[in-house]
Amino acid sequence: MTYEEFKDLLMEQLIKKSEWGISEDNVRFYNKGFSSPDNEKEQEFIMDTNIRYYKTESDVLISDFITVTIKDSGENIKHQCRFGLQELYEGFGDKGWEFVWKTVKDNLDLGKQVFETGVLSMVNDYQAVKERLVIRPINYTDHKYDLREAVYRQTGDIALVLYLIIYENNEKGLGTTKIHKGTFGEWQKSIDEVWEAALTNTYVLAPPRMYMTPFDRVDPPYERGAFMALGSKMKSFGKLSMPSVTTVKQVNGAIAMFYPGVKEKIASMAGGSYYVAFTSIHEAEIHCINTVPPKTILKNIKEVNKAFGPEETLTRKVYFYDAEKRTFNALGL
């Protein structure tokens, strides 16, 4: 069966699964290349899907997808499950329709379960909370006691900590809680697998941005500074430039330096190795080598930390990315 034949038959059979709560009204096909610049919700879907599945920020859908929207009796949208058509087709080729329908049914059941039961009561079920895991950067030294039972990775005096999103709304903002080691143990997953999922979620929630001047950061349009986006025109910057790296939300934005591919992309733009000054938990400042001495950078970090206090402090060190060795470490100044 060709891919096009599979796609047509899947759509035809899917809307007949009324016992799963599926109908023609809540199934939608999005074709590769789809874009909807005038529809904010659809643009969010496109960006989210491209980042989550392809680690690429783009406002054009990279592949074919089907979505099934789960609704309650009052027709209020509760959850949207999405399925990559190419992935389903490949599974079909190996295992037949049994694989396809099991994949769809399992995802629909999981979506209903998460929304009906609540997040915290599902915390020991990795699949149920997988897409609600995020990473936040904090200073290790200042929070060493709080991190005793937490799941984190340490780079120098920076701790990248695994959190669970409990809620996110306009009124309360983003509510999170640290994942404890006991919970992580219940998942029976490798730290690498969990970390990759959490970093991807964080990237989706807050894509990275590079702003060349402080003025660029004042109420910027979404697309400004999207240096990691597909087709970005930001190719390089001058040796004496001191761009700042953060996220679109500019809150806990220093995490952007730890997104996949970011350090390498900055090296290509800088023409080689560079120093990083994390001036707070919200951003990082880039300095090309052979411009500002590391000790001067460290002095500036100390002054900023003193001005804004421990709540905003991420590090008391200067970090260095070695473009040849592809390593990122704190300097022993």
Side-chain angles (χ1 to χ4, degrees):
M1 182 181 296
T2 67
Y3 174 71
E4 292 299 322
E5 291 172 337
F6 168 81
K7 185 169 63 177
D8 292 341
L9 188 56
L10 174 64
M11 287 291 290
E12 178 186 326
Q13 295 298 318
L14 191 61
I15 61 177
K16 294 180 180 179
K17 299 287 185 180
S18 57
E19 70 275 17
W20 294 355
I22 299 177
S23 69
E24 192 171 357
D25 294 333
N26 63 348
V27 175
R28 179 166 179 184
F29 169 70
Y30 291 88
N31 64 291
K32 177 181 178 181
F34 174 75
S35 182
S36 182
D38 298 325
N39 188 310
E40 185 177 346
K41 287 191 175 296
E42 288 189 340
Q43 278 300 100
E44 288 179 1
F45 165 77
I46 293 168
M47 296 291 288
D48 182 294
T49 301
N50 286 334
I51 293 172
R52 191 175 297 282
Y53 285 81
Y54 304 105
K55 306 295 189 294
T56 299
E57 193 175 341
S58 174
D59 57 4
V60 177
L61 197 60
I62 293 176
S63 188
D64 296 333
F65 278 83
I66 282 179
T67 64
V68 179
T69 303
I70 304 169
K71 302 178 181 180
D72 63 12
S73 58
E75 292 297 303
N76 295 314
I77 295 177
K78 300 292 290 184
H79 187 64
Q80 188 181 70
C81 297
R82 78 190 122 192
F83 306 94
L85 268 294
Q86 189 63 44
E87 181 182 3
L88 290 179
Y89 180 61
E90 292 173 1
F92 165 77
D94 293 335
K95 303 176 183 177
W97 285 107
E98 182 179 353
F99 167 84
V100 175
W101 298 130
K102 186 178 187 306
T103 300
V104 173
K105 184 65 163 54
D106 286 351
N107 276 272
L108 291 176
D109 289 345
L110 184 60
K112 292 175 183 176
Q113 191 177 17
V114 170
F115 275 80
E116 291 171 359
T117 311
V119 177
L120 288 178
S121 61
M122 302 291 296
V123 70
N124 286 337
D125 185 341
Y126 175 69
Q127 291 302 323
V129 299
K130 176 182 176 181
E131 293 195 4
R132 301 183 72 88
L133 299 173
V134 293
I135 307 294
R136 275 184 166 175
I138 64 175
N139 180 263
Y140 173 78
T141 306
D142 294 347
H143 298 86
K144 187 184 299 185
Y145 181 84
D146 298 332
L147 291 172
R148 290 178 304 165
E149 294 301 320
V151 179
Y152 64 92
R153 281 180 165 175
Q154 186 177 346
T155 300
D157 63 343
I158 296 175
L160 304 178
V161 188
L162 184 64
Y163 284 82
L164 172 70
I165 297 175
I166 304 173
Y167 61 80
E168 181 184 10
N169 54 53
N170 293 332
E171 182 180 347
K172 295 183 178 180
L174 189 68
T176 60
T177 185
K178 294 184 185 73
I179 293 294
H180 285 203
K181 292 177 181 177
T183 297
F184 175 77
E186 291 289 333
W187 293 344
Q188 297 185 352
K189 299 289 182 180
S190 71
I191 186 63
D192 289 340
E193 178 181 348
V194 172
W195 211 258
E196 180 180 359
L199 266 184
T200 297
N201 295 339
T202 314
Y203 196 131
V204 168
L205 187 67
R209 290 294 181 265
M210 177 184 287
Y211 299 119
M212 302 309 297
T213 73
F215 300 104
D216 290 341
R217 299 181 58 174
V218 181
D219 296 322
Y222 181 86
E223 64 276 6
R224 180 181 293 167
F227 71 107
M228 293 294 291
L230 187 67
S232 171
K233 295 180 180 179
M234 300 180 70
K235 304 297 184 184
S236 64
F237 54 81
K239 288 289 185 182
L240 297 179
S241 298
M242 292 182 293
S244 61
V245 176
T246 182
T247 66
V248 290
K249 297 190 175 183
Q250 300 190 50
V251 176
N252 295 309
I255 190 61
M257 283 301 305
F258 300 92
Y259 287 164
V262 164
K263 289 188 285 289
E264 293 79 4
K265 180 62 180 291
I266 295 173
S268 72
M269 296 174 72
S273 304
Y274 55 89
Y275 299 107
V276 179
F278 289 99
T279 49
S280 77
I281 58 174
H282 305 302
E283 71 279 314
E285 196 174 73
I286 307 301
H287 299 270
C288 296
I289 57 172
N290 301 321
T291 54
V292 181
K295 288 187 177 181
T296 301
I297 299 174
L298 181 61
K299 180 182 177 182
N300 292 337
I301 292 174
K302 290 179 178 179
E303 290 176 352
V304 172
N305 287 344
K306 184 178 180 180
F308 290 97
E311 289 300 317
E312 298 287 306
T313 297
L314 179 59
T315 177
R316 297 176 178 87
K317 297 179 180 293
V318 176
Y319 284 75
F320 177 66
Y321 180 75
D322 188 314
E324 290 187 7
K325 297 179 180 178
R326 296 174 71 120
T327 55
F328 186 66
N329 296 301
L331 297 180
L333 300 176

